Amino acid sequence: MKEGFYELLKSEELEQAIAESGLGEISEKLDLKTSSRHLAEVITEEISNALAELQNNGGTEDEKILRQLDILNELLVYARQVANLQPASPYQNPPSVLRALHRPQQNVNLPQVGMAQPWLFTSGKDSPALFHELKAELSSCQHVDILMSFITMSGVRKIINLLRDITAVDAHQQSRTSLRIITTTYTGATDLKAVKMLAELPNCQVKISLDGRRNRLHAKAWIFERDTGFGSAYVGSANLSGAALMGGLEWTVKFTERGQNFLYQRARAHFETLWQDEEFQRFDPNNETHEKELRGALARERGVKDLGENVITTFFDIQAKPFQQIILDQLANERAHGRFRNLLVAATGTGKTVMAALDYKRICQQQGGQPKVLFLAHRKEILQQSLQTFRHVLRDGSFGDYLADRHEPESKTHLFATIQSVNSRQLVDELGSDFWNIVIIDECHHIEANSFRRLIKQLNPKYLLGLTATPERSDGLNILQHFDLRPDGTPSAQMRLWHALEQQLLAPFEYYACADGVDYSGVNWRSANETAQLEQLLTGETGRAIAVLRAWEEHVSAINECRALAFCVSVAHAEFMTQFFQQHGINAALVTGQTPSSERAKLPAMLERREINVIVTVDLYNEGVDLPFVDTLLLLRPTQSATLFQQQIGRGLRLFEGKDSCLILDFVGQYSEDFRFDVLYSSLTGLSKREVIDGIDHGFGSLPPGCYLQMQKQAREQILNSLRYAVNLNWRRLQTELTSYRARHGAEEIHLAEFVREQALEFEDIYRKNGASGWTRLKRDTQLIAGAPTELETKLNRRFKDVLHIDDPDYLNVMRAIGKGSLGDDEQSRKYALMLAYQICGGQGIQTIDSFVQDLARTPELLSELVELADALDARTNEQFSKLPGLESTGLKLHSAYKIREVLTALDYYTETNYSPFQAGV
């Protein structure tokens, strides 16, 4: 046997061949889910071979076919007897194959390729013509789903008469065939007239994505559905254009419902997913607005000036995209908790202004009318675009006015203004600090500028909403102080990096971990002198610099075609790397805090023109400078900080014309076992620790579209060792983590939510099923709390692991109130308190609220922990839950999480006077 991949059911003969090969073997036990497929494949092959062998025996052709048929019938009889099934009708003699049923006088155009076998169309002479096969398929089907990157007149005019025939309606307005078509405006290749012709067909629905900047749909498919169960699908490279249909060098694969049902159903399901995606809008050929918007979108894709992220790419009332709805729900949840000064962090291009407008629309619906709003930005063009966005969302063409330069608004009720205009007109003094109900600050990382900060201190709206893609500033000033943060210290609403990548709002990344040969095992990560330690290791380290250059050369076609950023540890390290690059013929420039502002200003344009090929810097360049054209990142500063890691990577992920992806070269050396690669890669991919390990071991199969992640051999081994160490986080190592955290923050600044977030831990790491468990116990074992735990404290603390699922804000408020000694006397509060008592202490008899609270009072440290745990669980919750219809008195919320004892208590099955063991089915 040859070395390589197989998928063979093992026989005794195969087992012997494997043994004789001398090769290592990977085999899997056949499971019930896949057994029928594997066994059927074996039977098919063996019977096919046996039937083929009969053809070599004597006799006429008819006699050979009859012998094959006899064997088939005998096998079916035997198989059904073994399976205790009713006998099947034998196949006819002589045999024949039914190809179609039709009405009298009806002309039937059969596909040359059958309705069960797969086929690859290649435009070769030995292959049926794809166009003629599609016409035959269209002529006899009940429904067709068509997915195309673009649709042109040259393609549509070749099939429009056939489409008109099969969709023509009868007296009952029914047609023989219905159609659904999905396409896009990508590259502007779609013809408006072709789309209109299709959309005008009866029983034909057309959906189209107007956002060619984000949607890069390349799939091409025809899916034919038939009541007979003989559906078929064509998936390949051919668009609905004349060149593709009539002989372009295209490959298209056909698979069938009968023969390859798994693939067929998968194609149908994926089409349905796209059809339900709000990205694709229904096109009405009789709607002038639809036609105007489509014409404008196609023009933009053909090169007309882009108006930025405020361009409206929808025909209808603007609805939040799924990722935007998550952020809007986070804002609503924050306000439900009494936090009204909110910071929204999302990448450029995600539609922050649209989200702000949708948020305002929801406030309008809640409060009635259109509350007074002030929208602040630093440029007139942003104000005008934002005003148009609000008008579009509200469907009110007269909403609001702007104040900038010499333009005077008729009213200041709904005002879009530059900060300079508001300050120079002294509007707050004139109108009052509480004149506006909601104040929205665009690009609010500018908020620390004196003019912004002074204005924010003056304003006193009910709602404050800040919008930014980059809350971190290179000058170290903290904009978070102006907003109400979540219990774990994070902003109100954030869009995760991987969500933005999945939505194709950012450029895909190609990440390569390259070995640099440096020993970092002595570095004390996150310590005050971390930078100094790294500077000493890396500055002047020529061997590492050579490794960096070699890796860069290996991964690009030519360095002089790159637009790169290189992030260094310190100014000295950056100066060394800049000099090294220049000495090796690379056009490199250095940017640090000491770089003159005039030089800083001109370097980005030089990088875009490729007059230089890399800017070497220490921080994130400088706040407010946009470098979307950057296509290569050199991560020369090792870091344990997920925030810094994401900030560096984010500098290369902006979308830019002609930029397909961003190449990221990270450099990995020898680390101590406790280096947290899981923190870094989870922040990049959204995967758990174990999923990251599996991805490195077997390849990352679930990254966002276009993204790629690979490790060189030496780097891979180092990373895997650290990851496996991180997964096996024992109690002693957890104590070390807390000791290190205390050294950085001080004993007075230690809170559960912040500790879990900063150390990238799971609650289950602290609240364990076996052994020591609980936040109080961990603090005792780390000497943050003096003395040994009592037996009662240990018992209760171990049971806190059973409340980690709680996400109901009202329930968490009661948990917090018990910890603070302020439990209310109202019926609902006491119901939640009893639920908590049974969840923590229940399962062995009647529980009462008083006894539960008294036990906690004897362990004051646990009361504090209960408050911290409620805050931490609250920080993890981003949704508002509504009461369960018909069961409002129970306090249970729709879509919230409860365990069985809590549900039984809410339903009064468990009370303070009654308890009986519950069994499933009772």
Side-chain angles (χ1 to χ4, degrees):
M1 297 189 70
K2 304 294 185 182
E3 180 181 355
F5 295 147
Y6 294 88
E7 190 168 349
L8 295 173
L9 189 67
K10 291 172 69 173
S11 64
E12 292 180 1
E13 181 182 2
L14 180 59
E15 186 71 51
Q16 182 178 349
I18 294 171
E20 293 174 352
S21 72
L23 297 170
E25 172 191 349
I26 298 176
S27 295
E28 296 177 350
K29 184 179 179 181
L30 191 65
D31 59 48
L32 192 60
K33 290 182 179 179
T34 60
S35 61
S36 58
R37 177 176 66 84
H38 279 288
L39 296 174
E41 288 172 352
V42 172
I43 292 173
T44 300
E45 183 177 5
E46 293 293 337
I47 293 178
S48 296
N49 291 338
L51 295 177
E53 186 63 30
L54 287 175
Q55 297 179 12
N56 298 325
N57 296 339
T60 65
E61 185 172 318
D62 288 342
E63 288 173 339
K64 293 177 181 179
I65 293 177
L66 289 177
R67 280 200 297 271
Q68 290 178 332
L69 186 63
D70 288 340
I71 291 177
L72 174 63
N73 284 325
E74 289 173 12
L75 285 172
L76 290 177
V77 169
Y78 174 73
R80 296 183 76 84
Q81 286 175 347
V82 171
N84 292 319
L85 298 174
Q86 291 293 323
S89 171
Y91 287 91
Q92 288 182 343
N93 186 356
S96 61
V97 178
L98 174 65
R99 293 295 308 277
L101 294 175
H102 62 91
R103 296 175 184 174
Q105 311 305 319
Q106 180 183 352
N107 291 325
V108 178
N109 182 14
L110 290 174
Q112 293 184 44
V113 177
M115 301 309 299
Q117 70 183 85
W119 190 263
L120 174 63
F121 295 88
T122 62
S123 301
K125 293 182 179 180
D126 62 340
S127 176
L130 174 63
F131 176 59
H132 293 291
E133 288 294 281
L134 289 174
K135 287 179 66 177
E137 298 267 6
L138 283 167
S139 68
S140 181
C141 60
Q142 278 67 54
H143 179 75
V144 188
D145 285 332
I146 302 174
L147 178 64
M148 291 290 147
S149 297
F150 58 82
I151 296 172
T152 69
M153 276 300 299
S154 65
V156 170
R157 64 178 171 237
K158 289 178 173 59
I159 59 171
I160 191 64
N161 288 334
L162 175 58
L163 294 179
R164 286 169 177 162
D165 178 59
I166 65 176
T167 58
V169 297
D170 58 19
H172 303 288
Q173 296 300 303
Q174 299 294 315
S175 59
R176 185 167 28 135
T177 305
S178 59
L179 290 88
R180 294 190 301 180
I181 301 171
I182 294 176
T183 190
T184 78
T185 59
Y186 183 50
T187 74
T190 289
D191 285 336
L192 174 59
K193 185 176 180 180
V195 172
K196 288 189 66 177
M197 288 177 68
L198 293 172
E200 287 168 349
L201 294 170
N203 290 319
C204 177
Q205 301 176 69
V206 176
K207 285 192 173 184
I208 187 164
S209 167
L210 302 184
D211 192 353
R213 300 167 302 168
R214 187 171 74 86
N215 191 295
R216 302 180 182 184
L217 178 72
H218 292 296
K220 297 94 179 176
W222 303 71
I223 305 173
F224 301 94
E225 298 178 25
R226 297 182 174 87
D227 294 342
T228 62
F230 282 85
S232 55
Y234 292 69
V235 177
S237 62
N239 275 298
L240 187 44
S241 67
L245 293 178
M246 299 300 293
L249 296 178
E250 311 283 354
W251 280 22
T252 300
V253 173
K254 174 182 178 178
F255 45 87
T256 67
E257 181 179 10
R258 186 75 166 191
Q260 300 77 40
N261 187 53
F262 175 76
L263 288 177
Y264 178 78
Q265 298 301 341
R266 187 170 174 80
R268 287 187 60 195
H270 187 62
F271 183 93
E272 193 63 40
T273 300
L274 293 175
W275 188 259
Q276 299 300 329
D277 191 338
E278 295 177 356
E279 175 66 30
F280 298 97
Q281 302 283 325
R282 176 79 179 274
F283 176 76
D284 181 353
N286 300 312
N287 188 306
E288 292 182 2
T289 300
H290 289 200
E291 182 174 342
K292 177 182 176 183
E293 295 288 355
L294 178 53
R295 181 179 288 107
L298 290 170
R300 285 195 301 276
E301 288 302 305
R302 290 167 184 155
V304 176
K305 183 180 178 181
D306 188 353
L307 297 178
E309 70 173 71
N310 291 311
V311 170
I312 302 303
T313 53
T314 177
F315 299 129
F316 307 111
D317 287 348
I318 296 178
Q319 302 293 324
K321 293 180 171 64
F323 72 89
Q324 293 174 326
Q325 190 59 54
I326 291 172
I327 290 178
L328 291 171
D329 289 343
Q330 290 175 359
L331 289 175
N333 180 59
E334 288 302 291
R335 291 163 184 163
H337 284 75
R339 299 187 282 267
F340 296 100
R341 300 174 70 89
N342 310 118
L343 178 61
L344 189 162
V345 180
T348 301
T350 53
K352 292 187 290 294
T353 308
V354 172
M355 286 187 270
L358 289 167
D359 184 49
Y360 176 73
K361 182 178 181 180
R362 180 159 56 183
I363 291 173
C364 292
Q365 293 167 344
Q366 292 171 346
Q367 298 190 358
Q370 292 180 337
K372 297 175 181 177
V373 60
L374 172 64
F375 188 103
L376 293 170
H378 61 287
R379 290 195 355 249
K380 181 179 74 173
E381 292 78 12
I382 293 177
L383 292 178
Q384 292 172 324
Q385 293 169 11
S386 300
L387 178 56
Q388 290 303 317
T389 299
F390 270 70
R391 287 174 174 176
H392 202 119
V393 167
L394 297 171
R395 289 299 186 197
D396 183 352
S398 62
F399 176 82
D401 205 344
Y402 75 92
L403 171 64
D405 296 341
R406 298 177 182 177
H407 181 82
E408 286 293 332
E410 293 184 6
S411 169
K412 300 181 181 67
T413 301
H414 306 116
L415 184 63
F416 292 68
T418 61
I419 182 69
Q420 297 86 352
S421 299
V422 173
N423 281 333
S424 64
R425 308 296 177 84
Q426 299 182 335
L427 289 185
V428 179
D429 293 335
E430 174 191 337
L431 301 172
S433 61
D434 57 357
F435 178 78
W436 290 286
N437 181 277
I438 178 169
V439 172
I440 302 168
I441 306 173
D442 191 37
E443 301 297 337
C444 71
H445 48 266
H446 293 286
I447 203 170
E448 278 300 312
N450 289 332
S451 56
F452 257 94
R453 191 167 63 250
R454 185 169 61 251
L455 178 61
I456 292 304
K457 289 182 177 179
Q458 286 181 289
L459 290 167
N460 185 31
K462 180 176 181 180
Y463 303 100
L464 175 66
L465 178 62
L467 311 176
T468 185
T470 54
E472 299 81 11
R473 289 171 55 103
S474 58
D475 57 15
L477 296 176
N478 180 20
I479 72 168
L480 299 181
Q481 62 181 307
H482 301 285
F483 300 95
D484 297 331
L485 303 181
R486 293 167 57 77
D488 62 353
T490 56
S492 301
Q494 297 185 79
M495 184 175 190
R496 302 300 184 187
L497 176 63
W498 53 90
H499 288 161
L501 288 165
E502 286 170 353
Q503 295 293 326
Q504 299 180 5
L505 301 167
L506 299 175
F509 63 78
E510 296 179 61
Y511 174 96
Y512 293 86
C514 310
D516 67 5
V518 178
D519 185 357
Y520 299 102
S521 58
V523 175
N524 184 7
W525 301 99
R526 295 176 176 167
S527 66
N529 67 337
E530 174 192 317
T531 299
Q533 296 175 68
L534 290 172
E535 179 181 10
Q536 185 174 359
L537 272 175
L538 300 179
T539 302
E541 178 53 55
T542 305
R544 190 206 195 218
I546 292 172
V548 169
L549 181 57
R550 184 183 299 118
W552 192 3
E553 290 174 336
E554 287 177 357
H555 287 90
V556 299
S557 57
I559 289 179
N560 61 13
E561 296 178 1
C562 294
R563 299 160 170 153
L565 283 180
F567 296 108
C568 293
V569 173
S570 64
V571 172
H573 181 221
E575 290 173 342
F576 164 70
M577 288 305 303
T578 304
Q579 186 178 14
F580 177 85
F581 286 142
Q582 291 172 345
Q583 289 172 349
H584 287 78
I586 297 172
N587 294 322
L590 174 68
V591 172
T592 69
Q594 288 77 45
T595 305
S597 57
S598 58
E599 187 174 345
R600 275 183 181 243
K602 69 180 182 181
L603 286 177
M606 293 177 65
L607 184 64
E608 183 174 4
R609 295 191 299 265
R610 296 187 177 90
E611 294 171 11
I612 56 175
N613 296 109
V614 59
I615 292 178
V616 185
T617 185
V618 177
D619 50 35
L620 300 177
Y621 201 66
N622 60 314
E623 181 272 326
V625 176
D626 192 19
L627 306 170
F629 47 81
V630 167
D631 55 24
T632 306
L633 298 176
L634 305 178
L635 307 188
L636 309 183
R637 189 235 190 274
T639 181
Q640 179 72 92
S641 167
T643 300
L644 182 56
F645 187 65
Q646 279 195 340
Q647 288 170 5
Q648 291 179 347
I649 288 173
R651 272 303 188 182
L653 299 186
R654 285 291 311 278
L655 294 173
F656 189 72
E657 185 176 356
K659 173 176 156 182
D660 295 325
S661 63
C662 178
L663 173 66
I664 302 171
L665 299 180
D666 197 3
F667 294 89
V668 178
Q670 301 169 32
Y671 298 84
S672 58
E673 283 186 320
D674 59 353
F675 189 84
R676 297 292 301 278
F677 281 105
D678 60 303
V679 175
L680 304 182
Y681 294 138
S682 293
S683 73
L684 182 61
T685 64
L687 301 176
S688 68
K689 297 175 190 175
R690 295 191 182 277
E691 288 172 331
V692 169
I693 291 176
D694 185 67
I696 294 174
D697 253 338
H698 304 109
F700 289 88
S702 57
L703 293 177
C707 293
Y708 183 72
L709 197 152
Q710 178 178 308
M711 284 82 180
Q712 290 181 350
K713 182 179 179 181
Q714 298 93 326
R716 178 176 177 272
E717 291 173 355
Q718 172 66 54
I719 291 167
L720 277 175
N721 287 337
S722 294
L723 285 171
R724 288 172 178 141
Y725 185 76
V727 167
N728 298 314
L729 184 64
N730 59 34
W731 193 254
R732 185 174 297 279
R733 282 187 48 220
L734 203 57
Q735 291 175 242
T736 303
E737 294 264 354
L738 183 54
T739 300
S740 173
Y741 185 85
R742 176 190 183 183
R744 295 194 306 274
H745 296 275
E748 300 301 320
E749 296 297 325
I750 296 178
H751 301 286
L752 175 61
E754 286 90 337
F755 175 67
V756 168
R757 177 177 62 87
E758 187 170 324
Q759 301 300 115
L761 300 172
E762 304 291 339
F763 287 114
E764 289 76 9
D765 292 328
I766 296 172
Y767 296 93
R768 300 172 169 236
K769 293 182 179 179
N770 300 306
S773 174
W775 180 233
T776 297
R777 175 61 183 271
L778 180 61
K779 290 198 289 185
R780 282 196 187 279
D781 290 351
T782 318
Q783 309 303 314
L784 291 175
I785 299 177
T790 64
E791 183 178 345
L792 177 62
E793 179 183 291
T794 300
K795 175 185 174 182
L796 290 175
N797 208 185
R798 286 189 55 79
R799 296 302 299 270
F800 278 16
K801 71 180 185 301
D802 293 326
V803 303
L804 300 183
H805 62 281
I806 299 177
D807 55 7
D808 179 343
D810 293 331
Y811 193 0
L812 290 171
N813 282 338
V814 168
M815 183 192 299
R816 196 179 288 110
I818 292 174
K820 293 180 177 179
S822 57
L823 177 64
D825 290 330
D826 60 284
E827 182 179 349
Q828 193 59 73
S829 294
R830 293 189 64 81
K831 175 67 71 73
Y832 282 128
L834 189 59
M835 288 166 60
L836 188 64
Y838 269 107
Q839 186 58 25
I840 291 178
C841 305
Q844 297 180 354
I846 291 175
Q847 303 295 324
T848 66
I849 297 172
D850 289 343
S851 64
F852 173 59
V853 172
Q854 288 168 9
D855 281 347
L856 286 172
R858 287 157 52 195
T859 57
E861 290 82 5
L862 292 188
L863 289 174
S864 299
E865 179 174 350
L866 207 59
V867 174
E868 288 195 54
L869 183 54
D871 287 342
L873 294 174
D874 207 358
R876 194 173 61 175
T877 303
N878 289 320
E879 298 180 40
Q880 284 184 284
F881 302 103
S882 56
K883 291 185 177 180
L884 202 59
L887 294 172
E888 288 84 358
S889 62
T890 66
L892 298 177
K893 304 289 192 347
L894 192 63
H895 303 307
S896 198
Y898 307 94
K899 293 195 173 182
I900 185 64
R901 289 199 295 267
E902 293 166 313
V903 173
L904 294 174
T905 306
L907 296 175
D908 293 328
Y909 189 87
Y910 293 165
T911 67
E912 292 189 280
T913 58
N914 180 66
Y915 169 84
S916 58
F918 177 81
Q919 295 181 352
V922 174

